[in-house]
Amino acid sequence: MSDQMPFDTDVQTMTRFVMEQGRKAKGTGEFTQLLNSLLTAIKAISCAVRKAGLAHLYGIAGTVNVTGDEVKKLDVLSNDLVINLLKSSYSTSVLVTEENEDAIIVEPDKRGKYIVCFDPLDGSSNIDCLVSIGTIFGIFRNDTDMQASEELALQPGRTMVAAGYALYGSATLVALSTGQGVNFFMLDPAVGEFILVERNVKIKKKGSIYSLNEGYAKYFDPALTEYLQKKKFPEDGTAPYSSRYVGSMVADVHRTLKYGGIFMYPANKKSPKGKLRLLYECNPMAFIMEQAGGKATTGTQPILDVKPEYIHQRVPLIMGSPDDVEEYLSFVKKHQASA
C-alpha cells in the first residue's frame, strides 16, 4: 500500500501563499484582495479560451486597438473581465490596459492604493489556431499623496511590488513574483484553485535555445546578425543553438524561463523603437526574469530602469539566461565601438 495520500490535505494555494507573505510583511490584506480578484478573472479567461469555439468567441471583433492590433472577440471579453474584477476589488486606483487608449481611473468610492498595468490576452493573433496565449500583469503601489491619474502609472519597472503572467496552454499556470523570487501555480480545475507546484524558480545561467522572429532578418542590425550567425555556426566546436519561436510572448518567455536561453524582440529598421509595450509586456516579464536570476535589457539599459514617457510606449527587449544576454550585449558593444 502506498504511503502517498491521493489528496493533499494541507494544500498550498496561491491565496494562502500570498496571505502568509502579507502576514510576515504586516500588510493590510489589500494586496490579497487585488490578487484574488485578478485570479478570478484569469480563471474566467481560461474557461472562455477553452470553450471559445463552442461559444463563438473566435474571430475578429471588427475593431483595432490603440497599438494597431486587430481586436479579437476574446480580447474584448478578457479586457472587460480584468477591468471589472480589479475595480470591484476595492484595491486599485489606476488601470492601464493594451486595449484602452487612456488609463482607467477607478471611481473614488472603489479606490485602493494599487496601480495595475496589464495585457489581458497576449498573443491573441494565435487564438484561432489554438496556440498558447496568456495574460500579463504588473502591479505598482501609490505611496504618495498624488491623486489617481495616468501619471501614477509612468514609473520605472524597478518600483513594481509584484508582477506575473498566466499561461493558457496544456494547463493554466500563473507565474508570480512579489519581489522574493518566482513561484509557479497550476490551476486545479477540480477545486478551482491555483496550487503551488514550483517554488523559487531559477533560470539556467546559460541555455541552448534562441527565440525571435527571423522573418524580420532583412531588417536586423549588424550586431544581431553576427550574434545569430555565431549561435547557428559556432566556431569553437560547440553544438549550435536550437531555434524556437511561438509568436506568443508568454509562451516564448515561459519556455525560456524553464529551459534557459534567450528571447529577443529587438529594435530593427522596420520598428526602430521596438515592438513590445513597456508597461504591460516588457516590465512584468523583466521583473519575473530578474527575480529568477536572468537578465532583461533594451540593448542599452536594463528594462526595469527605463522611465516611461507614455503608457503605450514601445521598447526593444532581450531577456533570458544571464550569460546569453551578456554575450548578445558584447556584440552590441563591439559594433558600437566600431561605428
Side-chain angles (χ1 to χ4, degrees):
M1 184 175 171
S2 169
D3 61 355
Q4 282 291 103
M5 294 272 299
F7 293 99
D8 186 350
T9 56
D10 191 25
V11 67
Q12 180 81 311
T13 66
M14 190 190 288
T15 304
R16 174 181 167 183
F17 181 85
V18 172
M19 282 195 300
E20 286 175 359
Q21 286 196 322
R23 176 60 69 93
K24 288 175 190 171
K26 295 183 169 54
T28 62
E30 198 172 324
F31 179 75
T32 306
Q33 285 173 230
L34 187 162
L35 200 69
N36 275 335
S37 294
L38 187 56
L39 290 180
T40 302
I42 287 168
K43 284 184 248 186
I45 294 167
S46 176
C47 183
V49 165
R50 298 195 190 290
K51 59 183 186 184
L54 298 171
H56 307 292
L57 289 169
Y58 287 142
I60 297 168
T63 54
V64 172
N65 70 15
V66 65
T67 57
D69 300 325
E70 284 184 326
V71 175
K72 302 294 184 84
K73 293 173 188 175
L74 268 174
D75 275 324
V76 176
L77 180 145
S78 303
N79 195 47
D80 289 348
L81 273 168
V82 178
I83 290 170
N84 291 332
L85 281 158
L86 285 179
K87 277 185 174 183
S88 62
S89 72
Y90 293 87
S91 59
T92 61
S93 56
V94 181
L95 307 176
V96 173
T97 165
E98 179 188 12
E99 306 302 333
N100 292 48
E101 185 170 359
D102 300 316
I104 297 161
I105 309 302
V106 178
E107 298 90 331
D109 61 324
K110 290 184 177 180
R111 259 177 221 164
K113 63 186 174 191
Y114 291 99
I115 300 107
V116 185
C117 304
F118 61 93
D119 184 346
L121 205 61
D122 177 73
S124 54
S125 61
N126 286 318
I127 289 170
D128 295 359
C129 63
L130 306 184
V131 168
S132 296
I133 49 184
T135 298
I136 308 171
F137 57 92
I139 302 170
F140 297 89
R141 185 170 54 223
N142 178 17
D143 289 324
T144 71
D145 294 327
M146 283 179 63
Q147 285 297 309
S149 67
E150 190 170 289
E151 190 181 340
L152 281 176
L154 299 179
Q155 303 182 44
R158 197 71 66 190
T159 64
M160 276 189 294
V161 295
Y165 60 82
L167 175 63
Y168 312 112
S170 54
T172 297
L173 175 141
V174 168
L176 176 72
S177 176
T178 55
Q180 299 169 59
V182 179
N183 299 283
F184 288 164
F185 300 82
M186 197 85 74
L187 178 62
D188 182 345
V191 294
E193 288 284 359
F194 282 93
I195 310 300
L196 179 64
V197 291
E198 204 167 337
R199 191 188 290 268
N200 199 23
V201 176
K202 292 296 178 189
I203 192 171
K204 290 179 180 174
K205 201 160 182 291
K206 185 177 177 66
S208 58
I209 300 170
Y210 72 88
S211 180
L212 85 165
N213 186 349
E214 291 195 81
Y216 292 123
K218 68 179 281 188
Y219 305 114
F220 290 166
D221 63 35
L224 179 57
T225 302
E226 186 182 350
Y227 172 76
L228 292 174
Q229 183 71 8
K230 295 283 187 187
K231 295 294 102 184
K232 295 175 186 177
F233 304 98
E235 296 169 354
D236 58 2
T238 58
Y241 272 39
S242 298
S243 174
R244 299 283 185 274
Y245 185 70
V246 176
S248 175
M249 185 191 185
V250 174
D252 281 313
V253 171
H254 183 69
R255 185 201 54 251
T256 303
L257 197 56
K258 285 287 288 181
Y259 299 153
I262 188 166
F263 169 77
M264 297 177 278
Y265 214 122
N268 57 46
K269 291 172 189 169
K270 194 174 180 184
S271 304
K273 293 184 178 178
K275 186 95 184 285
L276 298 175
R277 274 67 57 139
L278 175 63
L279 282 186
Y280 41 81
E281 291 177 325
C282 299
N283 267 343
M285 290 306 208
F287 189 88
I288 289 280
M289 192 61 71
E290 285 201 7
Q291 285 292 316
K295 292 199 168 186
T297 177
T298 63
T300 57
Q301 69 179 124
I303 288 287
L304 296 179
D305 291 339
V306 178
K307 174 72 171 76
E309 295 172 14
Y310 51 95
I311 61 173
H312 297 294
Q313 181 175 339
R314 299 177 191 262
V315 290
L317 175 68
I318 296 90
M319 63 165 52
S321 296
D323 288 1
D324 288 313
V325 174
E326 283 299 332
E327 186 181 4
Y328 167 77
L329 290 174
S330 71
F331 283 90
V332 172
K333 288 168 187 165
K334 172 186 166 185
H335 282 267
Q336 284 175 341
S338 61

